Amino acid sequence: MSKYLIFGATGQDGSYLAELLLSHRHEVFCIKRRSSSINTMRLDGIINHPSIKILHGDVTDTASVMQLISQIKPDFVLNLAAQSHVGVSFNEPEYTAQVDAIGTLRILESIRLFNRNIVFYQASTSELFGGLDDKILDENSSFNPRSPYAAAKLYAYQLTKMYREAYSLQTFNGILFNHESPRRGENFVTRKITMGLSNILKGKFKSIKLGNLDALRDWGHAKDYCEAMYQMVNLNKPGDYIVATGECYSVRDFLNTAFQEVGIKLKFVGSGVLEQAIVMEKSKTDYNTENVAINQVVVEIDPIFFRPLDVPKLQGNSQKFRELSGWSPKITFRELVAEMVKYDVAF
Ligand code: NAP
Ligand code: G4F
């Protein structure tokens, strides 16, 4: 049994990771930041487990980070805390840097000062690459951050690598490609689509308003990726590792798959800001589509969701990590979409 400390435990990944660690009989210290409303909903299923402790903390506060690390004396620290929305980072660049970049510095410095034997995991990201060309990305691909979020995460990535080299800390950068689940934040594109579809089926809204439908992402399931994080920090081989499915789909593909799941076939018409998706056919499934009409416009473009710069394509090659750990994703793209649709429609 080891002691794991998770910064960002109330988020999508933090909650799956905490569940996984408890299933392996570890002691889990979940750090939540202060908020005016309840922010532990994703931890509801495990909150009363005897091996979990939920403590207040904030990575923007040096004293808070130092106290947690010095008092808990963890064996492992996983830094999942972030302002994790790329679009929002264009509007809140300084705040994003405080949390995502300097927050990581605070944790690394605390580990350096209090216990250099702690194993540290940094939630790095495929956004570091910028995704401007058609290449499949691996650990040797060059970085080209295209948002304040990615720039902050690049600082954190370099620092994590540098503390390994300078101070022999056992640090890992998990360079994870996009991963989703029913616990995904509501303003990321996949969850926005599955929640939007649910509202359309219930007759609450007619359409979903989105930005760039051409973006291509390597979408995996958060549960599989938390398993990868756990295996990574137990590798005894500190380093930088890509975690990806290797498959790539567009936002348009995600829309088609989600609507197909409920028996609706879409047709995309128009282009640019005038592009729309309309209902072409309906077929029988377990889902009720009586509130949806043939020819109804169910997807529209709203330029408010365009970013000053976007990342056109992210597709990863995780061979290095797979060969070392034996990890591979278990949940397919189709299964991921189906699970998210089912969850949101039932909600
Ligand atoms: P998420 O759902 O947005 O969770 C982020 C977590 O960070 C939440 O628990 C949040 O708390 C916490 N947090 C934010 N600011 C904080 C602060 N100042 N101090 C302490 N905690 C703070 O993100 P996720 O999807 O689980 O991703 C986990 C990590 O992996 C993030 O660092 C993200 O950037 C990175 N990443 C994600 C993906 C992906 O596709 N999901 C891919 C690559 C890398 P609240 O619950 O109170 O908001
Ligand atoms: O779902 P997204 O907001 O995810 P994005 O930007 O790829 O970032 C996520 O994955 C990263 C890993 O690659 C993480 F590091 C990061 O923390 C986060 O978890 O957007 C995906 C794509 C983008 O190209 C965006 O422009 O979808 C496009 N998109 C189109 N319409 C939209 C929308 N994105 C959002 N959020 N909302 C829209 O309406």
Side-chain angles (χ1 to χ4, degrees):
M1 186 176 89
S2 301
K3 269 191 197 176
Y4 283 77
L5 171 60
I6 308 176
F7 288 102
T10 55
Q12 170 188 255
D13 292 4
S15 63
Y16 283 116
L17 184 67
E19 285 170 11
L20 180 70
L21 293 171
L22 290 175
S23 78
H24 285 276
R25 301 184 176 281
H26 296 298
E27 207 177 342
V28 187
F29 295 81
C30 291
I31 309 308
K32 68 160 189 167
R33 59 180 173 162
R34 195 269 157 187
S35 75
S36 63
S37 50
I38 295 167
N39 63 352
T40 50
M41 277 94 76
R42 293 181 177 107
L43 297 171
D44 272 353
I46 51 174
I47 210 150
N48 293 319
H49 193 288
S51 298
I52 196 172
K53 285 199 180 51
I54 316 257
L55 304 166
H56 277 282
D58 198 304
V59 299
T60 60
D61 187 301
T62 305
S64 152
V65 172
M66 288 202 161
Q67 261 178 46
L68 287 165
I69 290 177
S70 62
Q71 288 174 7
I72 293 170
K73 300 186 174 53
D75 304 299
F76 295 83
V77 171
L78 292 106
N79 179 27
L80 311 182
Q83 187 303 92
S84 71
H85 198 283
V86 176
V88 168
S89 78
F90 285 97
N91 300 322
E92 299 175 16
E94 188 181 337
Y95 173 71
T96 302
Q98 268 304 329
V99 180
D100 299 12
I102 307 300
T104 309
L105 173 65
R106 293 183 183 101
I107 299 172
L108 281 165
E109 269 298 278
S110 303
I111 292 174
R112 184 178 75 82
L113 293 170
F114 291 114
N115 179 3
R116 295 187 182 194
N117 291 321
I118 291 173
V119 176
F120 174 72
Y121 175 90
Q122 168 59 16
S124 287
T125 165
S126 48
E127 279 289 308
L128 299 176
F129 296 115
L132 276 183
D133 52 34
D134 208 30
K135 286 190 190 129
I136 299 183
L137 301 154
D138 63 25
E139 290 81 359
N140 299 316
S141 304
S142 48
F143 295 140
N144 178 20
R146 284 171 63 78
S147 63
Y149 167 80
K153 284 282 188 178
L154 180 56
Y155 175 87
Y157 170 93
Q158 294 291 13
L159 215 59
T160 300
K161 193 165 181 284
M162 194 273 279
Y163 272 58
R164 186 189 313 139
E165 290 162 4
Y167 307 117
S168 301
L169 296 193
Q170 301 173 69
T171 68
F172 291 83
N173 271 303
I175 309 169
L176 272 51
F177 283 60
N178 297 51
H179 46 279
E180 320 292 312
S181 75
R183 296 185 197 170
R184 183 58 143 154
E186 295 164 8
N187 55 359
F188 295 93
V189 75
T190 56
R191 189 79 199 287
K192 200 172 151 185
I193 291 170
T194 57
M195 288 178 69
L197 170 57
S198 164
N199 283 327
I200 290 170
L201 294 186
K202 289 169 187 160
K204 290 186 187 166
F205 293 114
K206 288 282 177 219
S207 68
I208 311 171
K209 295 186 174 44
L210 296 172
N212 175 14
L213 305 186
D214 295 322
L216 292 153
R217 290 292 183 272
D218 181 331
W219 275 300
H221 196 296
K223 235 181 185 172
D224 278 336
Y225 284 44
C226 288
E227 177 66 43
M229 284 179 209
Y230 179 60
Q231 292 189 17
M232 194 181 296
V233 294
N234 284 287
L235 274 180
N236 289 325
K237 209 168 179 323
D240 312 313
Y241 299 100
I242 283 187
V243 179
T245 70
E247 289 178 18
C248 195
Y249 297 91
S250 66
V251 173
R252 211 175 275 104
D253 294 332
F254 195 102
L255 280 162
N256 274 325
T257 310
F259 277 80
Q260 263 165 27
E261 189 57 31
V262 302
I264 294 174
K265 192 166 178 206
L266 296 179
K267 183 179 172 191
F268 287 83
V269 295
S271 63
V273 288
L274 297 178
E275 184 169 1
Q276 294 180 327
I278 57 173
V279 175
M280 216 168 85
E281 274 173 41
K282 293 202 290 179
S283 55
K284 208 170 157 35
T285 63
D286 289 343
Y287 291 94
N288 180 357
T289 58
E290 69 184 11
N291 288 320
V292 187
I294 298 290
N295 288 329
Q296 179 176 328
V297 174
V298 285
V299 179
E300 294 174 277
I301 303 300
D302 185 336
I304 202 168
F305 298 113
F306 290 151
R307 296 170 183 176
L309 278 180
D310 208 344
V311 170
K313 180 184 172 190
L314 293 173
Q315 183 173 12
N317 171 359
S318 54
Q319 195 183 347
K320 176 181 166 189
F321 178 61
R322 289 185 193 214
E323 281 177 2
L324 212 59
S325 65
W327 176 89
S328 64
K330 295 191 175 57
I331 302 164
T332 65
F333 175 73
R334 186 85 200 262
E335 288 165 346
L336 165 70
V337 179
E339 185 187 335
M340 291 177 72
V341 169
K342 191 173 173 195
Y343 178 86
D344 278 327
V345 173
F347 206 79

